[in-house]
């Protein structure tokens, strides 16, 4: 019995020892796993200073486990927070990249975070990348808003529907709910740039067309002496006749209906011009005759008018060509008048001096010129001035002859004054003056 009891005690003891050994082995495994997890978390988080890691000592296994547990718990919390931070940053990066690429709607689902590297250094790299993308997004958004504003202004000037134009580029651009919702993709920016370029080209073409119409309108108005009241109706067309394309900003200034309205008016005036061609041509002829008359050039106005009427009635000449030819004649007549101006001014002074000379002769023949009659002193003063002027006549004639000869040599034609050669008039005057001088000498 004693041996049996002793054997049973040994068995119980062996079981207890085995249990203790197994328990110790399990505790050691748990401790090993905890230490491994601790080192893994520390390595992943990359920050040893933030958590108090227990140092190896003479504590029991359970004491070591109890010492590691708070650090593990704190590291787990840090890991969860860090994973959330990584997930948030990467989600924002993915979202912005999707917006730039133009596939933001396809970027769905949570991003997998690499838990082997959750260090602050890695997080900073992601945050730096996020800031760069946020800046790029801000720049792109500013560029998009600038393009949208330009499209709005161009549509206003061209009289086009802004909403339909901008939504053709991207539906979000016509959405007024929020700026951040607008597309900033490469495709949107490219299409916006193309739209702006197309609208600018349309603006250039329309302005060029409008300026051509404005020039035609002004020419037709001047041609037909259109009243100012009628011209004012098209001020919105002619006000941009010489404007630069960038300076045209008034809404509707280049609308298609406005250009069509100007085209209709030009067609109407063209038809009216054809019916009034005789009247217009005669006005040109009258202007030409006035220029010739002002510079004492003799022409046959009746023959010129008959020729103009015959040309118009024959239909062999285009009205515009006839008017252009008459305008050319008027221009040449003005040039001719300008070239004759100096000589004609001298002729006028010479004739004025001749009139004074004639008056002085009559005055000298008057026997009562020194009587104390009313106005006698005025005549005396005039006579004194006339004598001075008459003494200058020979010099005036000599200068006039020299100027006239120089003019004739330069042009190879005679200088005519009301159909008479001016040099012949001057020679005749010189002969008459010489005869009068000889007559005076004989009388003396």
């Amino acid at each position: 019995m004693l041996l049996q009891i002793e054997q049973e005690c040994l068995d119980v003891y062996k079981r207890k020892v085995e249990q203790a050994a197994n328990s110790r082995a399990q505790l050691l495994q748990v401790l090993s796993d905890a230490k491994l997890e601790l080192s893994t978390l520390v390595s992943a988080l990359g920050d040893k200073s933030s958590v108090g890691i227990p140092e190896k000592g003479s504590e029991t296994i359970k004491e070591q486990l109890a010492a590691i547990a708070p650090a593990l718990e704190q590291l787990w919390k840090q890991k969860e927070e860090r994973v959330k931070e990584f997930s948030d940053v990467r989600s924002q990066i993915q979202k912005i990249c999707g917006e730039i690429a133009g596939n933001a709607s396809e970027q769905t689902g949570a991003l997998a975070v690499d838990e082997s590297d959750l260090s602050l250094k890695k997080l900073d790299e992601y945050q730096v990348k996020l800031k760069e993308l946020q800046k790029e997004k801000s720049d792109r958004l500013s560029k998009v808003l600038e393009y949208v504003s330009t499209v709005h202004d161009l549509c206003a000037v061209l009289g086009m529907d802004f909403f339909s134009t901008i939504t053709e580029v991207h539906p979000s651009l016509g959405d007024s709910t929020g700026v951040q919702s607008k597309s900033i993709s490469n495709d949107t920016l490219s299409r916006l740039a193309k739209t702006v370029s197309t609208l600018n080209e349309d603006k250039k073409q329309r302005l060029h067309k409008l300026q051509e119409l404005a020039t035609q309108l002004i020419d037709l108005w001047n041609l037909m002496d259109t009243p100012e009241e009628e011209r004012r109706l098209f001020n919105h067309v002619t006000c941009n006749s010489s404007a630069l394309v960038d300076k045209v900003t008034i809404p509707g200034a280049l609308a298609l209906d406005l250009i069509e309205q100007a085209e209709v008016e030009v067609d109407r005036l063209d038809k009216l011009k054809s019916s009034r061609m005789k009247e217009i041509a005669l006005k040109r002829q009258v202007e030409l005759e006035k220029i010739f008359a002002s510079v004492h050039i003799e022409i046959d106005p009746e023959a010129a008018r008959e020729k103009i009427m015959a040309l118009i009635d024959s239909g062999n000449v285009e009205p515009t060509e006839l008017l252009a030819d008459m305008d050319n004649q008027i221009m040449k007549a003005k040039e001719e008048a300008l070239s004759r101006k100096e000589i004609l001014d001298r002729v006028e002074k010479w004739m004025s001096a001749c009139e004074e000379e004639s008056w002085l002769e009559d005055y000298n023949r008057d026997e009562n010129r020194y009587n104390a009659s009313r106005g006698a002193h005025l005549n005396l003063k005039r006579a004194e001035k006339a004598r001075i002027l008459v003494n200058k006549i020979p010099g005036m004639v000599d200068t006039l002859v020299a100027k006239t000869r120089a003019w004739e040599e330069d042009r190879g034609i005679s200088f005519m004054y009301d159909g008479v050669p001016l040099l012949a008039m001057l020679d005749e005057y010189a002969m008459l003056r010489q005869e009068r001088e000889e007559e005076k000498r004989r009388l003396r």
Side-chain angles (χ1 to χ4, degrees):
M1 288 292 292
L2 287 172
L3 287 173
Q4 189 177 355
I5 291 169
E6 184 179 350
Q7 187 61 44
E8 289 177 358
C9 288
L10 283 172
D11 292 340
V12 170
Y13 177 74
K14 285 180 181 178
R15 284 199 301 274
K16 291 291 184 182
V17 170
E18 287 176 1
Q19 288 176 1
N22 289 335
S23 178
R24 183 174 181 276
Q26 289 176 359
L27 285 173
L28 285 171
Q29 185 62 45
V30 170
L31 180 61
S32 175
D33 291 344
K35 287 181 177 180
L36 179 61
E37 188 173 0
L38 184 68
S39 63
T40 302
L41 288 170
V42 169
S43 175
L45 294 172
D47 190 7
K48 296 182 181 180
S49 61
S50 61
V51 179
I53 300 174
E55 305 220 354
K56 293 183 181 179
S58 58
E59 296 92 349
T60 63
I61 298 173
K62 287 186 176 180
E63 288 174 347
Q64 290 182 41
L65 279 172
I68 290 175
L72 275 175
E73 187 177 353
Q74 189 175 352
L75 286 172
W76 270 112
K77 287 181 181 178
Q78 283 188 12
K79 180 181 178 182
E80 289 176 2
E81 292 172 359
R82 196 69 60 81
V83 168
K84 187 175 181 303
E85 290 177 1
F86 268 84
S87 180
D88 290 343
V89 171
R90 290 194 61 195
S91 295
Q92 293 181 60
I93 290 173
Q94 185 187 40
K95 181 182 178 184
I96 296 174
C97 288
E99 290 175 354
I100 292 172
N103 56 357
S105 59
E106 299 174 10
Q107 304 288 334
T108 57
L111 285 172
V113 177
D114 181 12
E115 297 185 3
S116 63
D117 188 0
L118 299 173
S119 63
L120 289 174
K121 181 181 177 182
K122 190 70 173 178
L123 183 61
D124 286 341
E125 290 177 4
Y126 279 124
Q127 287 175 337
V128 168
K129 185 177 180 181
L130 176 60
K131 285 180 181 177
E132 291 174 354
L133 287 171
Q134 286 173 336
K135 184 179 183 304
E136 184 178 353
K137 178 180 178 179
S138 177
D139 293 343
R140 284 170 172 263
L141 190 58
S142 298
K143 190 69 175 174
V144 166
L145 293 176
E146 182 183 341
Y147 275 136
V148 170
S149 176
T150 303
V151 171
H152 179 272
D153 294 341
L154 288 170
C155 285
V157 173
L158 297 172
M160 297 171 62
D161 183 13
F162 164 71
F163 184 79
S164 62
T165 303
I166 205 67
T167 49
E168 281 181 10
V169 178
H170 196 277
S172 68
L173 300 178
D175 187 5
S176 59
T177 54
V179 175
Q180 297 297 326
S181 63
K182 298 192 184 300
S183 173
I184 59 169
S185 67
N186 292 329
D187 181 60
T188 299
L189 284 169
S190 174
R191 295 181 70 183
L192 275 172
K194 186 177 179 182
T195 301
V196 169
S197 176
T198 302
L199 291 174
N200 273 323
E201 188 60 32
D202 286 348
K203 184 180 179 183
K204 278 184 188 176
Q205 291 177 1
R206 290 194 192 184
L207 180 61
H208 180 67
K209 179 67 175 177
L210 195 71
Q211 287 175 339
E212 286 183 346
L213 292 169
T215 302
Q216 292 176 33
L217 279 174
I218 292 169
D219 291 343
L220 289 167
W221 288 339
N222 294 335
L223 189 67
M224 296 186 284
D225 296 327
T226 304
E228 190 61 33
E229 295 78 14
E230 191 174 333
R231 297 187 185 199
R232 273 200 290 268
L233 297 174
F234 288 89
N235 276 349
H236 54 290
V237 175
T238 55
C239 67
N240 292 320
S241 58
S242 59
L244 297 174
V245 67
D246 294 334
K247 300 297 180 182
V248 181
T249 56
I250 300 172
L254 300 176
L256 283 175
D257 56 348
L258 186 145
I259 295 174
E260 290 172 2
Q261 182 185 2
E263 287 176 338
V264 170
E265 181 64 11
V266 167
D267 290 341
R268 186 185 74 83
L269 291 175
D270 266 334
K271 292 174 182 176
L272 185 62
K273 180 186 74 174
S274 300
S275 63
R276 294 180 56 191
M277 185 48 60
K278 289 185 178 180
E279 179 187 345
I280 296 167
L282 288 177
K283 282 185 179 179
R284 290 284 195 280
Q285 181 61 28
V286 168
E287 184 181 354
L288 188 62
E289 290 169 8
K290 285 181 179 178
I291 294 171
F292 284 137
S294 67
V295 291
H296 299 277
I297 296 176
E298 193 175 61
I299 60 171
D300 187 354
E302 290 301 323
R305 294 184 186 194
E306 288 175 4
K307 182 181 178 182
I308 291 169
M309 294 298 105
L311 279 172
I312 295 173
D313 291 337
S314 68
N316 294 330
V317 63
E318 284 290 329
T320 51
E321 291 179 6
L322 175 61
L323 293 178
D325 180 60
M326 295 193 73
D327 287 336
N328 190 38
Q329 290 182 44
I330 290 170
M331 184 179 69
K332 287 181 178 178
K334 288 179 178 178
E335 291 175 357
E336 180 78 5
L338 189 63
S339 72
R340 293 166 63 93
K341 186 177 184 304
E342 184 183 0
I343 294 175
L344 290 175
D345 288 344
R346 292 180 181 276
V347 168
E348 187 177 345
K349 291 179 181 178
W350 167 59
M351 288 185 172
S352 177
C354 289
E355 289 178 3
E356 288 299 298
E357 184 182 31
S358 177
W359 178 87
L360 185 61
E361 289 178 356
D362 293 339
Y363 177 77
N364 288 335
R365 285 194 293 267
D366 185 4
E367 297 177 354
N368 299 321
R369 61 184 179 276
Y370 297 118
N371 291 345
S373 60
R374 186 177 181 183
H377 66 289
L378 296 175
N379 288 334
L380 186 60
K381 284 184 179 180
R382 181 178 176 183
E384 291 174 359
K385 291 181 180 179
R387 286 190 188 94
I388 295 170
L389 186 60
V390 168
N391 290 332
K392 294 180 179 178
I393 288 178
M396 294 169 66
V397 171
D398 291 343
T399 303
L400 192 52
V401 168
K403 292 281 184 185
T404 305
R405 282 177 178 164
W407 187 94
E408 290 182 348
E409 288 175 5
D410 186 43
R411 286 163 180 76
I413 56 174
S414 296
F415 189 102
M416 308 299 288
Y417 188 91
D418 290 337
V420 180
L422 180 59
L423 287 176
M425 290 172 60
L426 293 170
D427 289 342
E428 185 180 356
Y429 171 78
M431 290 173 61
L432 289 173
R433 185 178 176 83
Q434 188 177 359
E435 288 175 2
R436 285 200 301 271
E437 292 295 331
E438 288 177 359
E439 183 65 23
K440 286 179 183 178
R441 280 198 295 272
R442 281 198 301 269
L443 287 173
R444 282 199 295 271

